[in-house]
Every structure is written in structure tokens, then in C-alpha cells.
């Protein structure tokens, strides 16, 4: 890639209005351009595999087939050197560190995209990482032995998926079907979540999860 060639960006988001807005925003910059769009994880993988060059993939964490964290891991496997920037409406205090652990290079809240997206893309393409000042401070505190960002942050990625699904009103059967795991596995995750959150029973877990999901909207 010569210095005059714009970096190639793929947008993955199941909301066409959001994709249109991000494409328009990226179009205001001369140093990178959108080379493709996808509305699901499977579509994104096929697209990235088919393109001659992809420098950055903007990944929504809430996708209809698989979650964005898993997609980030897959993209790094199928296309060496590709960088991923997560964009989401979910609480960055819970998800930003997970994105970095999955191999992503940054996290940006959707309500901040109009102000921060161009800066975030440039920083990631330059080899850096991007997160809000607040999240960066918490990550530094965590690495230096400070307090956790909260008990929910201690759940594994899969446990967090189950926890969110519970909060959205799904039973074990629905969760198992959506995640492609057995009901027994879902129930095991429920048990671990209750232990990690210090909750006494299933009713308390459901109430806690519903309140948390509502707080994210």
C-alpha cells in the first residue's frame, strides 16, 4: 500500500441505518474508505475472505448470528494483520476489556461515534489502541491491582451472553437454542453466574439480570 492509497475499512452492523451513518462519516476522511458492509458475522467472514485487502473491520458487538467478540477472534484467524475496532451501545466498562482480550484494538460507544470515530480509526490503523479516558484509567487501575470494574465484569464472555439473555426474558431452552449449546450447559452457566454475583437463587438472578439489561439501554 502506497502512502496515497486510502486504508480499506469494512463495517459490520445489522442496522442498515447505522451502517449508512458510519459510511457517511468515514467518507469525510481522505485517508481511509469503506470497501464493504456486512450485517452478520457469517456475512462478514465471507466478505473479508473475498476482498483483496482489508485493513480495519468495525464490528458491532450485537449481531444476529454470533456475538462480535467471537467475530473479532475469527477475523484475526482468517486474515492476518487485520485490525478490529468494536462499536456498541453496551456498557464500555463491561465490554471494552473483553474486546481487547479478544484481539480487538479499540472500543467506541455508538453515541460517541460522530465525535470519536475518525480519531479512533486513525489511532488503530497507526498501530495503537483506542478507548475512552475513563476506561483507560480503569484498565490501568485493574492492571496495577486496583478494584474491579464490578462483579458483572468478572463473568466470562459466555457467562455474560447467558446473563444478558436471562435479562432479556429468555428461558434456558431459548438460550440454549440461540447459543448452540445444551440446556445442561446453560444451567451450569446459571449456577456459575449466581456464585460470581453472590445471588441466592434463580429469582434473584433473573431480577438482577433484567435490571442490568435495562440499565444498558
Amino acid at each position: 500500500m502506497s502512502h496515497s492509497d486510502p486504508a480499506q475499512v469494512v463495517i459490520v452492523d445489522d442496522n442498515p441505518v447505522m451502517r449508512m451513518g458510519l459510511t457517511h462519516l468515514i467518507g469525510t476522511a481522505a485517508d481511509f474508505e469503506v470497501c464493504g458492509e456486512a450485517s452478520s458475522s457469517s456475512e462478514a467472514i465471507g466478505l473479508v475472505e473475498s476482498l483483496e485487502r482489508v485493513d480495519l473491520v468495525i464490528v458491532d458487538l450485537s449481531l444476529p448470528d454470533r456475538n462480535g467478540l467471537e467475530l473479532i477472534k475469527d477475523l484475526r484467524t482468517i486474515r492476518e494483520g487485520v485490525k478490529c475496532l468494536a462499536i456498541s451501545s453496551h456498557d464500555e466498562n463491561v465490554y471494552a476489556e473483553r474486546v481487547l482480550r479478544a484481539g480487538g484494538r479499540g472500543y467506541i460507544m455508538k453515541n460517541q461515534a460522530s465525535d470519536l470515530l475518525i480519531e479512533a480509526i486513525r489511532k488503530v490503523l497507526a498501530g495503537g489502541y483506542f478507548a475512552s479516558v475513563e476506561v483507560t484509567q480503569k484498565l490501568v487501575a485493574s492492571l496495577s491491582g486496583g478494584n474491579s470494574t464490578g462483579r458483572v465484569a468478572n463473568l466470562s464472555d459466555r457467562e455474560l451472553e447467558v446473563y444478558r439473555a436471562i435479562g432479556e426474558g429468555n428461558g434456558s431452552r431459548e438460550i440454549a437454542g440461540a447459543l448452540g449449546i445444551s440446556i445442561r450447559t446453560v444451567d451450569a452457566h446459571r449456577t456459575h453466574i449466581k456464585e460470581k454475583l453472590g445471588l441466592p437463587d434463580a429469582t434473584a438472578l433473573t431480577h438482577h439480570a433484567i435490571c442490568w439489561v435495562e440499565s444498558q439501554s
Side-chain angles (χ1 to χ4, degrees):
M1 182 176 68
S2 72
H3 291 297
S4 60
D5 290 334
Q8 300 298 294
V9 179
V10 167
I11 298 173
V12 186
D13 195 300
D14 63 338
N15 186 329
V17 176
M18 189 67 190
R19 293 200 306 272
M20 185 183 302
L22 293 175
T23 299
H24 175 74
L25 193 59
I26 290 171
T28 64
D31 45 339
F32 39 82
E33 64 184 13
V34 175
C35 63
E37 299 179 14
S39 60
S40 67
S41 290
S42 56
E43 188 179 334
I45 290 173
L47 176 62
V48 170
E49 286 180 328
S50 70
L51 292 170
E52 182 178 345
R53 196 181 103 223
V54 179
D55 300 300
L56 174 73
V57 183
I58 297 175
V59 179
D60 180 19
L61 293 186
S62 297
L63 295 168
D65 48 355
R66 299 182 71 201
N67 74 72
L69 293 173
E70 295 300 320
L71 176 58
I72 289 172
K73 296 174 186 176
D74 290 342
L75 289 173
R76 295 179 68 244
T77 299
I78 66 173
R79 180 62 71 94
E80 185 177 356
V82 71
K83 297 177 174 65
C84 295
L85 173 64
I87 184 166
S88 180
S89 57
H90 297 331
D91 185 357
E92 61 181 350
N93 291 324
V94 175
Y95 283 92
E97 185 176 354
R98 295 170 190 275
V99 167
L100 297 179
R101 285 206 307 259
R105 302 298 291 265
Y107 187 97
I108 186 169
M109 296 286 289
K110 285 187 175 181
N111 60 6
Q112 298 175 322
S114 60
D115 298 321
L116 300 177
L117 183 64
I118 300 300
E119 175 190 350
I121 292 175
R122 287 192 175 126
K123 191 166 186 178
V124 170
L125 286 173
Y129 292 84
F130 184 88
S132 71
V133 174
E134 293 79 12
V135 165
T136 301
Q137 290 173 341
K138 287 177 180 177
L139 290 175
V140 170
S142 175
L143 290 171
S144 61
N147 292 330
S148 166
T149 56
R151 285 182 171 179
V152 173
N154 294 329
L155 300 178
S156 70
D157 291 343
R158 180 63 92 185
E159 287 166 354
L160 186 61
E161 281 188 284
V162 172
Y163 179 67
R164 172 173 288 280
I166 293 170
E168 292 172 346
N170 297 291
S172 292
R173 184 177 299 278
E174 290 80 11
I175 297 171
L179 300 182
I181 57 180
S182 69
I183 295 176
R184 176 179 291 184
T185 300
V186 172
D187 290 339
H189 285 312
R190 282 178 174 271
T191 299
H192 294 150
I193 293 167
K194 283 188 293 185
E195 292 173 352
K196 289 185 177 182
L197 299 183
L199 300 171
D201 52 37
T203 301
L205 171 59
T206 300
H207 177 72
H208 196 280
I210 289 172
C211 291
W212 183 79
V213 168
E214 289 178 348
S215 74
Q216 304 297 295
S217 61

